[in-house]
Amino acid sequence: MVLGFIIVMAILSVYRQDDKPLPEKLERAMRLTQMNEYCDDDYDYTIRYPKFFEQTDDSLMDKGCCRFSFWLDSTEIVQNAFVEPNPDSLSVEKAMQKYASDLHATEQIKGDGYFILSGSLHTDSGQIAGRRYHAKFVQHRKLWFVQSLTYPEDCEQAVTRLLQEIDKWKVWE
């Protein structure tokens, strides 16, 4: 209970430092916060997310999907996970090429049974200024397990801990 109080006070003290820009406050909060775990009942995967992120209830309506977010002023950070079919049984290499093109990835990393993409966030109408994404796709039979993070460009340093969580994510521990 004492540890919980200390953590809450530390996070609150971050928000009291009005003279610091939000990315700096957020970076400190990310360093100090505990990580919660979400275990998906449908596909039995686990992800870790910051304790101060809120779960979006409607994200649980789709099988194998979850969404956690942080919103303050005009800053929104969204971490989500979902399962996507791989009906064409694309290899890691072919899927990476396809999704890198679809998502306009500027960075690509291929691993054993997975790939990671990142870049500027786009919609059908074009690039969203100042927004980035980072996503890991893990292959399992005819499925892709995906965990992603979308965030403001100026918060990239602040979300480093989450980017590392996604990079080292194993669908099943």
Side-chain angles (χ1 to χ4, degrees):
M1 193 163 184
V2 172
L3 181 61
F5 176 75
I6 292 170
I7 290 171
V8 168
M9 292 308 294
I11 290 173
L12 289 176
S13 73
V14 167
Y15 292 111
R16 285 190 202 138
Q17 299 170 358
D18 291 335
D19 56 331
K20 290 189 177 186
L22 181 60
E24 285 182 36
K25 294 179 201 176
L26 185 59
E27 182 177 0
R28 183 163 187 248
M30 287 285 196
R31 271 195 326 266
L32 297 175
T33 193
Q34 290 181 332
M35 298 295 278
N36 286 345
E37 284 191 354
Y38 168 81
C39 298
D40 182 77
D41 294 334
D42 297 312
Y43 290 97
D44 199 33
Y45 68 81
T46 301
I47 68 166
R48 292 169 37 97
Y49 64 95
K51 188 172 190 156
F52 62 92
F53 275 37
E54 293 183 17
Q55 185 167 15
T56 307
D57 292 333
D58 64 350
S59 71
L60 300 173
M61 296 175 83
D62 293 330
K63 186 176 176 180
C65 186
C66 63
R67 175 184 162 116
F68 302 92
S69 59
F70 168 81
W71 180 273
L72 185 64
D73 299 328
S74 62
T75 300
E76 181 184 29
I77 300 170
V78 177
Q79 179 180 2
N80 67 23
F82 57 93
V83 179
E84 187 167 311
N86 184 10
D88 299 327
S89 298
L90 294 176
S91 67
V92 171
E93 179 124 1
K94 292 286 184 192
M96 185 171 74
Q97 290 172 359
K98 175 195 178 313
Y99 287 109
S101 174
D102 292 350
L103 297 172
H104 306 278
T106 54
E107 298 171 36
Q108 304 173 33
I109 299 170
K110 181 178 165 280
D112 186 24
Y114 72 89
F115 60 92
I116 298 170
L117 303 175
S118 58
S120 296
L121 196 59
H122 286 73
T123 63
D124 292 340
S125 56
Q127 181 178 340
I128 301 174
R131 299 280 301 163
R132 294 193 51 79
Y133 76 90
H134 186 83
K136 183 173 185 177
F137 294 71
V138 180
Q139 183 181 38
H140 181 69
R141 298 185 183 152
K142 289 196 174 223
L143 297 173
W144 289 106
F145 288 78
V146 183
Q147 184 178 177
S148 69
L149 185 71
T150 58
Y151 56 93
E153 206 169 66
D154 66 345
C155 290
E156 187 151 19
Q157 183 65 36
V159 298
T160 298
R161 183 177 181 189
L162 288 176
L163 298 174
Q164 292 169 346
E165 284 285 336
I166 291 171
D167 288 351
K168 69 181 184 181
W169 180 51
K170 295 181 189 316
V171 175
W172 300 281
E173 299 290 332

